[in-house]
Amino acid sequence: MVSSNSFTVGKLDAGMAILIGERASLIEFPSVLLPAGITTGSIVNIAVNRNQQAEKEHAQAFWDLQKTILDTYGIDSPKQPAIRVRNTTQTSVTIEWDELELATSNLRSLDLYRNGQRLSAISNPDNKTYKMSGLSLNTEYSFQLIMRTTAGVYPSETIKVKTHTINDTTGIRVAIGAITDEKLLDSAKSAIEEMGAQYQDKVTIDTTHFVCSKPGPYNLSEYQKAVQHSIPIVQPQWLLACHAEKKMVNISSFYLGGPMPNVKFESRSSNNVTDATPEVNGAEAGPSEQPDKPEQPEQPVEKQDPATQEALNDPEGGPIDGIPPAVEDDEETKQTKNAVRKEIEEAERQATDAAYGHEDEDVAGREGRDDMRTFSFPRVTAVPEEEQRPSSTPPDIRIINEDGQEQIMAEGLADYDYGDGEEIDLNDDDEESVDSSQE
């Protein structure tokens, strides 16, 4: 349907024309749409018709766009995080969660709440694990993750977990390093299985202890990782003690490098008793590389008189209840302890250098300062020539301090011509006393 109306052209300029209708109605009309030659006073007819086909096409395009928006952003929405407990000990809880489902939204923050209070912001949600330490023994806690996205806030389910009692050993997670004694290694693994604990070769977020009898060479990289993450490094006898006591035993007496405890392993499923004292030899073997140790002849037990025995059992201040008397180690045990202690110090030094990048120049500087301090002792004595030493080394110099303790120094004063057993008082500046000493 087409309708037509007549208008008289009123004011006319280059951009706009004023058209006057039959009922004195005024409309503004673009001048470029008027026929050529139109002037003020001309009468024009304007016809208007409806384009329904164009309306249908426009409406269809509009609804197609709405459907695309709905399919893209309206069907899939973010889901609440799925959180669960990964491991529990007496003083720690490790939680984990599935990969976050954000749909088409963006993550704004992920926060961990403990007992209803915000504990920490998860800086890297892709790790999907978080460990909380320093918790109280045998105490119940609640945990929840709250995920904030551009599509809204999505809290997880609240989970409740109770830390273990001192008698619960199922939370122990150990990484096993170099244990040179095969019997001790087997006993430690059996104790772990019977306690319901777990072990592996790698250090992870669940690792509670690193167990070894020496730093390496087996699994040395994991030993260094345990040092960097401040994971307790204990001897295998600690596991046997926990198994025997059926509870978590204090680790202070089982640190690597300390005394070697003599703990016997007795399986709970049998009456077999295994002596867990490590068999010491000089091999650098891993858990599966232990060579056979030759049998040693039995040494006769030297009997001590009652006075000597009483002196050994009576330390200064009298004996202490609950603490056995100290027994002096034999020469082989002393050498083994010294060797293990040196390996531990070297491994810890390498781990520290790897973590903090200490320069060799700093070590050289410290050694130089240590050499300078050796000259502060008041008396120097040459080692007698009849003492055995490698022929390629210069004569050693024995430095004796004020307390009567002596220290061997192979360099620095070797060029001086000392006689056997000769002593020089470095604090005496009197030339006469020096001359008489040399004579």
Side-chain angles (χ1 to χ4, degrees):
M1 179 179 180
V2 179
S3 60
S4 177
N5 294 282
S6 296
F7 294 91
T8 301
V9 179
K11 181 180 179 182
L12 180 64
D13 54 28
M16 193 67 64
I18 302 298
L19 302 182
I20 304 173
E22 295 178 352
R23 298 181 180 180
S25 58
L26 300 178
I27 63 172
E28 293 182 347
F29 196 82
S31 299
V32 296
L33 299 180
L34 295 176
I38 295 296
T39 61
T40 300
S42 298
I43 297 177
V44 296
N45 291 331
I46 298 178
V48 179
N49 63 321
R50 182 177 180 181
N51 191 343
Q52 295 181 346
Q53 182 62 30
E55 289 182 0
K56 291 181 180 180
E57 295 177 355
H58 188 274
Q60 185 63 38
F62 173 80
W63 290 113
D64 289 345
L65 176 61
Q66 299 303 311
K67 186 176 185 302
T68 301
I69 295 174
L70 177 64
D71 294 342
T72 304
Y73 301 101
I75 296 179
D76 294 331
S77 60
K79 296 182 179 180
Q80 66 180 25
I83 184 176
R84 57 186 172 272
V85 176
R86 176 167 173 162
N87 188 39
T88 306
T89 68
Q90 280 74 13
T91 58
S92 68
V93 172
T94 304
I95 63 170
E96 64 180 358
W97 56 89
D98 296 333
E99 185 174 356
L100 301 179
E101 297 185 20
L102 301 175
T104 57
S105 65
N106 295 324
L107 179 66
R108 289 182 173 175
S109 65
L110 182 65
D111 299 319
L112 176 64
Y113 283 72
R114 182 180 70 187
N115 295 340
Q117 301 293 324
R118 183 177 180 272
L119 177 64
S120 175
I122 308 299
S123 58
N124 187 8
D126 294 335
N127 286 340
K128 295 183 287 189
T129 56
Y130 192 89
K131 183 175 183 179
M132 290 148 288
S133 303
L135 304 181
S136 299
L137 186 73
N138 193 25
T139 304
E140 186 177 79
Y141 294 90
S142 64
F143 299 98
Q144 184 183 34
L145 279 179
I146 294 184
M147 180 177 69
R148 293 177 173 83
T149 70
T150 54
V153 179
Y154 297 86
S156 70
E157 297 287 342
T158 300
I159 59 174
K160 294 183 178 181
V161 57
K162 192 174 185 179
T163 53
H164 290 175
T165 63
I166 199 67
N167 297 322
D168 191 344
T169 57
T170 58
I172 298 176
R173 301 289 185 270
V174 301
I176 296 181
I179 301 178
T180 55
D181 187 278
E182 194 69 28
K183 291 183 180 179
L184 181 59
L185 176 61
D186 293 340
S187 298
K189 289 183 177 180
S190 299
I192 292 173
E193 293 175 355
E194 294 187 7
M195 290 189 298
Q198 297 180 16
Y199 67 90
Q200 57 185 0
D201 293 334
K202 300 294 183 181
V203 173
T204 66
I205 191 174
D206 297 325
T207 303
T208 58
H209 303 80
F210 190 89
V211 178
C212 64
S213 57
K214 58 192 306 184
Y218 174 78
N219 222 7
L220 179 59
S221 60
E222 298 303 313
Y223 172 87
Q224 294 174 343
K225 187 184 297 184
V227 172
Q228 295 174 9
H229 290 81
S230 300
I231 296 175
I233 301 176
V234 297
Q235 301 180 61
Q237 288 84 350
W238 175 76
L239 293 172
L240 308 186
C242 292
H243 178 270
E245 296 291 335
K246 297 183 179 181
K247 66 177 183 179
M248 291 285 290
V249 176
N250 194 305
I251 63 176
S252 60
S253 301
F254 297 89
Y255 280 120
L256 184 63
M260 295 183 182
N262 185 9
V263 183
K264 295 183 181 297
F265 172 70
E266 181 177 357
S267 176
R268 297 175 183 174
S269 59
S270 65
N271 294 327
N272 295 331
V273 179
T274 303
D275 189 352
T277 303
E279 298 178 0
V280 180
N281 55 40
E284 294 287 339
S288 60
E289 304 172 358
Q290 176 66 20
D292 296 334
K293 180 184 177 181
E295 296 183 358
Q296 299 291 339
E298 296 184 359
Q299 299 293 336
V301 180
E302 182 180 354
K303 296 184 178 180
Q304 297 177 344
D305 60 290
T308 305
Q309 185 65 33
E310 183 178 358
L312 291 175
N313 294 336
D314 189 12
E316 294 184 7
I320 302 176
D321 294 338
I323 299 180
V327 179
E328 184 177 359
D329 296 328
D330 56 20
E331 189 64 25
E332 182 180 1
T333 303
K334 289 180 180 179
Q335 294 177 0
T336 302
K337 289 183 177 181
N338 291 334
V340 172
R341 189 173 293 109
K342 289 180 180 179
E343 291 182 5
I344 294 171
E345 293 175 355
E346 178 64 18
E348 291 179 348
R349 184 190 67 78
Q350 293 178 2
T352 303
D353 290 346
Y356 302 103
H358 289 173
E359 300 290 342
D360 292 340
E361 289 77 3
D362 294 341
V363 178
R366 292 194 297 271
E367 291 177 351
R369 291 192 294 272
D370 292 341
D371 291 341
M372 293 178 63
R373 285 197 293 270
T374 60
F375 290 96
S376 63
F377 293 97
R379 198 167 44 146
V380 177
T381 304
V383 177
E385 291 294 336
E386 57 270 15
E387 290 191 9
Q388 295 182 356
R389 64 170 63 85
S391 59
S392 60
T393 59
D396 292 338
I397 302 302
R398 179 179 293 119
I399 301 177
I400 304 177
N401 61 17
E402 296 176 351
D403 297 330
Q405 299 176 351
E406 62 182 28
Q407 173 179 340
I408 301 301
M409 179 172 144
E411 297 179 359
L413 298 178
D415 295 335
Y416 189 85
D417 186 14
Y418 294 104
D420 292 348
E422 178 182 357
E423 297 184 359
I424 294 179
D425 190 352
L426 300 181
N427 293 330
D428 191 355
D429 296 332
D430 189 358
E431 296 180 356
E432 295 180 358
S433 61
V434 174
D435 293 339
S436 62
S437 174
Q438 293 177 349
E439 293 177 358

